[in-house]
Amino acid sequence: MSNYIPMNYHNINVGAGTYSPSPVKAYNNRHFAYWIRALFQRATSVIEFDLPEDWSGSVKDFFLYCLYRFGYVVIFDHDTYGRMFQPCTLSGYNAYYQPTNAIIANPRFEKSLDLKIGEECELLKLTPDYVGIWDVLEYYAERFSTLDDAINMSLINCKTPYILGAKNKTASSALKKILDLVNKGEPAVVFDEKLMNDPNSKDTPFQLLELLRDPKSAYLTTDQLADFRTILDNFDAEIGIPCLPYQKKERLVSDEATMRTYDGSARSLTWFNTLTASIDQIKKLYPDITLEARLHYADFNESEGVSDNE
């Protein structure tokens, strides 16, 4: 059964009135939820992890979600569950304003834990500022969600429908039948020429309303799909998936390809270096732990097969 609960007038009014601009709701829709999932799964492909054997399968899925969603997890030894990781809340600060304690609350634990970082537990961090990458996913998911609506509208409007006016019921029926035959694929449609002139006023019984004189001058689906690819390339460059500029029709010169590689790896290298430093600290406390991280696209050479433009 669905968990959907209809909102009453008050709920709708609060939801619409506290968001500006109120007609635009790029976050509260199915498109946004779809893109959050898609971009999250895409982002988790950038860094590969070697984890302890009992952290595989669905436990690894939870590990990745916590790490990318919150930006860090705490690793510690539990009396009942052994060595494990958990999301946590940080507290305290040292002389360098770094957290000193990790507070862990889990309904399966007998009580919440307050552990000293570096002595009773250690943090695995993805980002230097203890923040996950969900803001990146939401930033691009909002754009994809907005563009999806525009593409859907273009796919409907690109049919270039005719808006016709009929002076009487006879003319209306004739127009509908003509359009049915045209949409059916008939190569020619024949109708009585008497329909072309009203018997009383001698005026034409048909009127055509033209909404768009030059459809090619509008923002068409092909342009929107190109912009869709541009946004996806920008997201890939943001998280470290190698890509080439979609708009570049001719071949890239070597310097352009190299700079694109640096641009696309800057943030992923920051995450990787933060993880590496965290893993070094974890192995000081737990030398026997199986924990490694590596960049999936580290060996990708974007300039391969690219020659200089003469």
Side-chain angles (χ1 to χ4, degrees):
M1 292 182 60
S2 173
N3 293 326
Y4 171 71
I5 300 176
M7 294 190 297
N8 57 31
Y9 172 79
H10 177 72
N11 300 136
I12 296 173
N13 191 45
V14 170
T18 56
Y19 186 90
S20 182
S22 57
V24 181
K25 297 178 176 63
Y27 289 85
N28 188 22
N29 57 65
R30 295 280 186 178
H31 287 173
F32 181 80
Y34 167 83
W35 281 111
I36 280 289
R37 291 183 64 248
L39 297 180
F40 168 73
Q41 292 170 9
R42 197 176 182 91
T44 55
S45 71
V46 176
I47 299 175
E48 295 180 343
F49 291 91
D50 291 330
L51 301 176
E53 187 176 350
D54 55 346
W55 293 5
S56 59
S58 60
V59 179
K60 182 178 180 180
D61 297 334
F62 180 61
F63 169 84
L64 293 175
Y65 176 80
C66 292
L67 188 62
Y68 284 87
R69 181 69 173 86
F70 308 117
Y72 55 87
V73 293
V74 61
I75 296 176
F76 60 100
D77 285 331
H78 191 270
D79 294 338
T80 303
Y81 297 99
R83 185 164 300 162
M84 63 184 308
F85 69 89
Q86 284 287 292
C88 66
T89 301
L90 302 178
S91 66
Y93 58 89
N94 60 19
Y96 293 101
Y97 297 94
Q98 299 301 300
T100 58
N101 289 68
I103 301 173
I104 306 139
N106 189 307
R108 301 295 296 180
F109 295 173
E110 294 181 359
K111 61 179 181 179
S112 62
L113 304 176
D114 189 352
L115 305 179
K116 187 78 171 177
I117 297 175
E119 297 178 9
E120 300 173 292
C121 66
E122 195 56 78
L123 290 180
L124 177 64
K125 290 198 308 177
L126 177 67
T127 57
D129 53 359
Y130 298 91
V131 177
I133 66 168
W134 220 253
D135 57 336
V136 179
L137 304 186
E138 289 183 341
Y139 178 86
Y140 284 96
E142 187 270 339
R143 277 155 177 71
F144 281 120
S145 173
T146 304
L147 186 57
D148 277 347
D149 291 337
I151 292 175
N152 289 342
M153 186 177 294
S154 292
L155 290 174
I156 296 173
N157 292 338
C158 72
K159 299 175 183 178
T160 317
Y162 293 100
I163 300 179
L164 304 173
K167 194 170 185 178
N168 51 53
K169 188 174 182 180
T170 302
S172 174
S173 299
L175 281 174
K176 291 178 181 178
K177 185 60 178 178
I178 290 171
L179 290 175
D180 285 342
L181 294 174
V182 170
N183 291 327
K184 187 180 177 180
E186 295 286 345
V189 179
V190 181
F191 65 96
D192 192 339
E193 65 175 0
K194 293 180 181 179
L195 292 174
M196 291 301 297
N197 294 296
D198 187 89
N200 298 320
S201 63
K202 304 300 181 182
D203 293 333
T204 176
F206 303 136
Q207 296 292 333
L208 171 63
L209 177 60
E210 293 186 69
L211 296 181
L212 192 62
R213 293 183 179 273
D214 183 15
K216 291 185 178 180
S217 65
Y219 187 42
L220 297 180
T221 309
T222 51
D223 298 322
Q224 292 169 333
L225 292 176
D227 290 342
F228 178 93
R229 183 71 238 183
T230 299
I231 296 175
L232 187 60
D233 284 348
N234 288 341
F235 174 78
D236 288 345
E238 183 88 4
I239 66 171
I241 297 178
C243 61
L244 293 176
Y246 178 82
Q247 305 89 341
K248 191 77 173 180
K249 302 298 183 183
E250 66 276 7
R251 294 172 65 79
L252 295 175
V253 299
S254 297
D255 287 344
E256 288 177 315
T258 302
M259 293 307 296
R260 184 63 175 176
T261 303
Y262 292 155
D263 175 48
S265 60
R267 202 161 192 179
S268 61
L269 282 175
T270 300
W271 299 340
F272 177 73
N273 291 335
T274 304
L275 284 170
T276 302
S278 296
I279 291 173
D280 290 342
Q281 292 299 115
I282 293 169
K283 289 190 173 182
K284 289 181 180 178
L285 190 62
Y286 307 110
D288 60 331
I289 191 172
T290 303
L291 184 59
E292 299 291 343
R294 59 184 179 276
L295 287 172
H296 180 71
Y297 302 102
D299 298 329
F300 182 86
N301 185 1
E302 194 172 14
S303 63
E304 237 179 63
V306 177
S307 60
D308 289 339
N309 239 342
E310 294 181 1

